[in-house]
């Protein structure tokens, strides 16, 4: 947009001829400090190449590209010659807008101008304007911002179940693209899509719109009454013409067809191109884009054709314009490298289009270098930028996310991805397609071999998923389409991968979003084959592997007998690297940040998977200590296991109950065998996740009975009612896309929206329990009102179902509940503290955040204080308190929790024996003193340091 002040405008000038006018223009630029003297000659040089007369009485003199050295600052000066000046090409000029531009900014100025001048009568008003303000107003009036509509706003084949989900997906995409914010998405979610006819629907909103945009989502598989949903983000009236074109298509009965054609064809139809039109694409080669001179040449060639030619930018948001209108063509603002799409209809269309394409290829009167030949080999956009960072200091602990337990001492092997280099463009499209086809075939073959060699279980499953991905016909088709637009096989393939991965990343569901990493992993495999890039070879001796993130195929290629530990820069506890490390039993620390990639291969490191920390180049002293603790750990594990069936009683006679956390009821017997005194947390959502639909009463009874049977008549089962939403998605219970799913519909809030499901679950639990001890607790409760709402269901069902030993409690996971524990305690039978969520909500750190989650430490004094409040309130009413979050199995945290008065610890089954043995080492009196000391400290680091120093 032009920024003009009163000083930019000079009215009522006279000139003896065009030279005089041009000289005055140059002088005004110099006087305004925008250009040096040399620029005045450059204005004449430019006119000698071709006239800068734009039309409507306006000339726009500017310097030649090589005169930019004389430009001090980009700007314009407007000179009005009311009597008119005859320009050297015979045109009548009344307004001279002279431009000093340091780079291609003049294109934007031209573009803004053409929008202004396009409006009827404006040029005339400008020549007659009596004051500068009037001119400024006329020139500065910004055009309606263009409505974004391109491949990014189109979502073809969304796996949606109804039109609301399509609308949600389209709105979320517009938000992700920065066109709108969460207010927009919320507003769209509140709407019922309006029918446009022909199975097309529309949702629209002005709330939270930053850039007008039109999204369009089509379903896959097809839906009955819905071919697609348009989602309009409105701002100003820029969308009006676009919507008129859409209505026009509907009036011609061509609406439904939009949902069947490719994204490119959708864009073509909505840009005003007729479906019968022939099209031809060509990239702009001119160094400074389609500025006035080449645009003029293009217009001339278009006028020479017998047919109407339209042109548009392929990636742009603008409609196709007449190629014979100079202002419209300049108004496209096309830059070098952008693709123009010409269209024409009727006999001779192909020849006319060919003429246009050739003219653009030949440079439109300028000397141009073909893009294909000049595009430098450039590193791919998937390259990791970690070369500039400093590595972590030697012999210093770096804390990250603990992903898999165990400790290792070994030299490092830092695996950096190869720097894929390739040409961005290529002209032999058939050849590029064949190269890609071969590379995909080879990648597929590699994956088959890897699956055969894989250790099985999760690794093989993930690799099979990769095998599916690499053969995905849509990925290949998208890559082929990019190749037909002039990209090389590598660039086309990566474009297809990147687009798809970004769509995946936009999903609110973290687990699905993480599959973007799998797509990129598959993408790099094919890219590596295309570029002939060699993966670095690991050493022959045992090592700790350091990587940005460990892709499944990397793990599958690892010789697990040599990999002693895994350290990654990225990834949270739910990333594949973490899941796989646990599956393979390799100690792992993840999300340590990019600095670890700057470490040198060969240096030694201590990796502590238990505490989530690493120490590069440890001193001999630390090394000796670590070796000792590895040996001690082995011994401790053995001794603890031998004593697993004994009580966990402190040396001064205080008993702590140690139970197991379970997801799968079939594992209850194993938990008992590992010494568990009950199940302290049954995550019942896993029972629900294991079924394609909500499991019915009988199914649930049989699942829960399996756990009760394994526990016998005295060991309790603490069942948490269904806890979905947030980080725990359930396919058949979709939650609308939320900006903050962790603060949204989850836990008991969500369950209470479908009380019948909750009631069936409670009935199944009570029926399965019979006379055996059942403890029911509700997740994510925020206050007593929510507890009462949920408890009412239990009370109702207990009127029909006999169960003799039942307690009802709440999980303390939200700080409000801990703060209000005194108001809850009289109504509940027990509390179980979910320290994972309690920590996340207290410290405002997403528990799965790849960079921050290492700071989400449950030993933070703020969390400890909330635990103390909960315990004090419960004990005052004679209620018991358990801890079922991960903190309960943290060896450093156990004495603190015991000291705070917690009665029960519920931990992963394989940790039960170790936690019991830890309790036996303590006295309650010392633990109380310790806990009080920790409560007084200011940070979790201070707490950990103090505990370490003991
Ligand atoms: C917790 O939040 O600490 C907890 C035990 O529940 P989950 O980890 O299943 O959210
Ligand atoms: Mg929780």
């Amino acid at each position: 947009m032009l920024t003009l002040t009163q000083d930019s405008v000079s009215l009522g000038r006279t000139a003896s001829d065009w030279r005089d006018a041009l000289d005055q223009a140059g002088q005004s630029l110099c006087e305004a400090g925008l250009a040096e003297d040399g620029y005045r000659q450059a204005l004449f040089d430019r006119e000698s190449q071709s006239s800068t007369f734009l039309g409507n009485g306006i000339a726009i003199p500017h310097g030649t590209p090589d005169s930019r050295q004389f430009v001090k600052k980009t700007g314009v000066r407007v000179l009005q010659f009311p009597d008119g000046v005859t320009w050297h090409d015979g045109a009548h000029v009344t307004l001279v807008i002279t431009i000093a531009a340091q780079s291609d900014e003049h294109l934007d100025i031209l573009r803004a101008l053409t929008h202004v001048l396009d409006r009827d009568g404006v040029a005339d008003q400008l020549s007659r304007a009596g004051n500068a303000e009037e001119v400024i107003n006329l020139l500065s009036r910004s055009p309606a911002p263009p409505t974004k509509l391109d491949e990014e706003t189109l979502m073809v084949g969304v796996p949606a179940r109804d039109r609301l989900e399509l609308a949600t997906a389209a709105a979320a995409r517009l938000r992700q693209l920065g066109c709108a914010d969460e207010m927009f998405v919320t507003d769209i979610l509140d709407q019922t899509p309006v029918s446009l006819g022909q199975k097309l629907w529309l949702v629209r909103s002005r709330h939270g719109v930053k850039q007008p945009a039109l999204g369009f989502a089509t379903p896959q598989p097809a839906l009955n009454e819905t071919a697609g949903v348009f989602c309009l983000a409105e701002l100003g009236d820029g969308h009006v013409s676009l919507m008129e074109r859409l209505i026009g298509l509907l009036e011609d009965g061509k609406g439904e067809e939009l949902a069947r054609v490719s994204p490119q064809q959708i864009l073509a139809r909505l840009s005003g191109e007729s479906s019968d039109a022939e099209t031809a694409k060509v990239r702009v080669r001119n160094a400074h884009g389609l500025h006035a001179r080449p645009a003029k040449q293009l217009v001339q060639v278009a006028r020479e054709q017998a047919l109407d030619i339209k042109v548009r930018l392929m990636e742009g948001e603008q409609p196709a314009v007449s190629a014979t209108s100079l202002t419209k063509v300049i108004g496209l603002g096309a830059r070098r490298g952008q693709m123009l799409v010409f269209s024409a209809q009727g006999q001779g269309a192909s020849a006319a289009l060919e003429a246009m394409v050739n003219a653009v290829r030949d440079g439109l009167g300028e000397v141009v270098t073909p893009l294909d030949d000049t595009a430098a080999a450039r590193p791919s956009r998937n390259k990791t930028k970690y070369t500039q960072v400093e590595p972590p200091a030697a012999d210093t602990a770096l804390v990250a996310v603990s992903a898999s337990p165990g400790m290792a001492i070994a030299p490092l092997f830092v695996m950096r991805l190869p720097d894929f280099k390739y040409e961005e463009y290529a002209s032999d499209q058939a050849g590029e397609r064949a190269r890609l086809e071969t590379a995909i075939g080879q990648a597929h073959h590699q994956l088959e071999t890897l699956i055969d060699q894989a250790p099985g279980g999760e690794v093989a499953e993930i690799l099979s998923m990769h095998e599916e991905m690499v053969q995905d016909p849509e990925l290949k088709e998208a890559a082929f389409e990019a190749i037909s637009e002039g990209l090389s096989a590598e660039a086309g393939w990566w474009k297809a991968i990147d687009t798809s991965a970004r769509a995946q990343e936009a999903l609110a569901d973290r687990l699905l979003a993480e599959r973007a990493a799998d797509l990129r992993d598959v993408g790099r495999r094919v890219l590596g084959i295309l570029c002939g890039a060699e993966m670095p070879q690991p050493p022959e001796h045992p090592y700790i592997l350091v990587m940005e993130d460990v892709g499944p195929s990397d793990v599958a290629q690892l010789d697990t007998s040599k990999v002693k530990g895994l350290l990654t820069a990225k990834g949270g506890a739910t990333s594949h690297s973490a899941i796989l490390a646990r599956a393979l039993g390799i100690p792992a620390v993840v999300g340590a940040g990019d600095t670890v990639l700057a470490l040198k291969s060969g240096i030694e490191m201590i990796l502590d998977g238990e505490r989530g920390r690493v120490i590069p180049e440890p001193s001999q002293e630390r090394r000796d200590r670590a070796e000792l603790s590895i040996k001690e750990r082995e011994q401790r594990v053995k001794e603890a296991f031998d004593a697993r069936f004994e009580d966990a009683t402190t040396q001064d006679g205080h008993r702590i109950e140690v139970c197991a956390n379970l997801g799968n009821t079939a594992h209850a017997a194993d938990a008992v065998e590992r010494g568990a005194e009950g199940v302290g947390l049954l995550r019942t959502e896993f029972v629900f996740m294991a079924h394609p639909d909500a499991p019915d009463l009988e199914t649930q009874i049989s699942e829960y009975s399996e756990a009760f049977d394994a526990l016998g008549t005295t060991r309790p089962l603490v069942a948490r009612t269904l806890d979905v939403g947030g980080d725990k998605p359930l396919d058949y219970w979709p939650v609308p896309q939320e900006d903050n799913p962790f603060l949204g519909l989850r836990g008991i809030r969500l369950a209470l929206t479908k009380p019948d499901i909750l009631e069936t679950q409670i009935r199944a639990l009570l029926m399965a329990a019979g006379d055996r001890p059942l403890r029911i607790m509700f997740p994510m409760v925020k206050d007593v009102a929510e507890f009462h709402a949920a408890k009412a269901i239990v009370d109702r069902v207990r009127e029909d179902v006999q169960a003799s030993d039942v307690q009802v409690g709440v999980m303390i996971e939200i700080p409000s509940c801990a703060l209000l524990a005194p108001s809850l305690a009289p109504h509940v039978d027990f509390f179980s503290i979910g320290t994972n969520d309690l920590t996340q909500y207290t410290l405002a750190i997403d528990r799965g955040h790849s960079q921050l989650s290492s700071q989400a430490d449950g030993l933070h004094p703020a969390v400890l204080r909330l635990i103390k409040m909960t315990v004090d309130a419960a004990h005052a009413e004679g209620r018991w308190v358990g801890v079922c979050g991960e903190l309960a199995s943290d060896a450093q945290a156990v004495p603190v929790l015991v000291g705070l008065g917690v009665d029960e610890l519920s931990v992963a089954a394989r940790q039960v024996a170790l936690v019991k043995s830890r309790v036996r080492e303590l006295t309650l009196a010392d633990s109380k003193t310790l806990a009080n000391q920790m409560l007084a400290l200011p940070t979790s680091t201070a707490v950990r340091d103090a505990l370490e120093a003991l």
Side-chain angles (χ1 to χ4, degrees), residues 34-355:
L34 300 175
E36 289 171 13
D37 231 26
Y39 199 68
R40 293 169 68 171
Q41 182 55 43
L43 295 181
F44 282 93
D45 294 347
R46 178 66 187 76
E47 293 297 332
S48 69
Q49 292 171 351
S50 81
S51 167
T52 62
F53 176 68
L54 191 66
N56 293 344
I58 296 176
I60 48 162
H62 50 277
T64 50
D66 56 6
S67 65
R68 286 181 180 168
Q69 50 174 317
F70 300 120
V71 174
K72 294 206 243 164
K73 211 168 129 203
T74 297
V76 296
R77 280 295 175 268
V78 181
L79 280 66
Q80 184 202 45
F81 295 91
D83 297 339
V85 179
T86 307
W87 215 243
H88 57 92
D89 59 356
H92 184 71
V93 171
T94 51
L95 204 71
V96 170
I97 302 178
T98 184
I99 304 169
Q102 275 166 333
S103 61
D104 287 347
E105 300 118 309
H106 69 291
L107 274 181
D108 291 329
I109 295 174
L110 276 176
R111 191 165 164 218
L113 264 180
T114 55
H115 284 290
V116 174
L117 299 177
D118 250 6
R119 292 203 291 265
D120 287 345
V122 172
D124 196 37
Q125 288 174 42
L126 281 170
S127 67
R128 287 187 285 102
N131 59 56
E133 214 164 310
E134 207 180 323
V135 173
I136 295 170
N137 280 343
L138 285 165
L139 289 180
S140 307
R141 204 174 295 156
S142 58
T147 300
K148 183 172 170 64
L149 168 70
D150 51 30
E151 276 184 69
E152 289 187 317
T153 67
L154 300 183
M155 301 181 80
V156 173
V158 176
R161 268 163 290 191
D162 54 32
R163 64 186 76 109
L164 194 60
E165 283 187 23
L166 285 174
T168 312
R173 170 61 64 87
L174 297 189
R175 176 175 175 261
Q176 191 214 355
L177 293 170
C179 302
D181 64 18
E182 51 285 354
M183 265 176 25
F184 174 78
V185 182
T186 315
D187 198 33
I188 294 291
L189 274 178
D190 278 349
Q191 296 182 21
T192 309
V194 174
S195 172
L196 294 170
Q198 297 168 39
K199 299 193 185 171
L200 292 177
W201 301 79
L202 174 70
V203 280
R204 62 201 297 170
S205 170
R206 288 181 177 271
H207 291 290
V209 175
K210 297 176 190 155
Q211 186 199 342
L214 183 66
F216 182 48
T218 64
Q220 175 72 295
L223 295 175
N224 257 349
E225 280 310 310
T226 306
V229 176
F230 285 96
C231 176
L232 178 64
E234 290 178 56
L235 188 69
D237 57 5
H239 61 278
V240 173
S241 54
L242 181 55
M243 293 312 282
E244 277 168 1
R245 286 196 296 279
L246 174 58
I247 307 281
L249 278 176
L250 291 165
E251 276 167 5
D252 294 345
K254 298 203 164 132
E256 208 181 322
E257 166 187 315
L258 279 180
R260 291 196 301 267
V261 297
S262 70
Q264 277 309 317
Q265 287 164 320
I266 298 173
L267 292 176
R269 304 278 202 285
L270 288 172
S271 74
E273 268 168 27
S274 142
S275 55
D276 316 322
E278 285 184 43
T279 58
K281 296 175 200 160
V282 62
R283 229 172 256 286
V284 176
R285 282 141 163 83
N286 304 64
H288 305 294
L290 276 193
H291 59 95
R293 197 149 57 103
K296 204 162 191 170
Q297 187 88 18
L298 185 146
V299 167
Q300 254 148 29
V301 182
R303 285 182 185 158
E304 283 160 18
Q305 310 307 314
L307 300 163
D308 266 358
I309 313 260
K310 288 194 162 179
V311 60
R312 66 181 169 90
L313 278 181
M314 194 173 87
E315 293 162 23
E317 58 275 4
Q318 303 165 62
V321 298
S322 166
T324 54
S325 159
L326 181 59
T327 54
K328 294 257 164 56
V329 171
I330 290 179
L332 292 174
R335 294 173 194 275
R336 177 177 159 85
Q338 284 193 299
M339 187 77 88
L340 295 175
V341 183
F342 289 102
S343 56
Q345 207 174 339
Q347 215 181 4
S350 310
L353 293 176
E354 199 181 326

Side-chain angles (χ1 to χ4, degrees), residues 88 124 206 219 246 331 363 400 510 565 610 631 763 806 880 888 891:
H88 57 92
D124 196 37
R206 288 181 177 271
L246 174 58
R510 179 192 307 284
E610 216 98 16
K631 286 212 181 77
R763 189 176 296 277
V806 180
W880 64 270

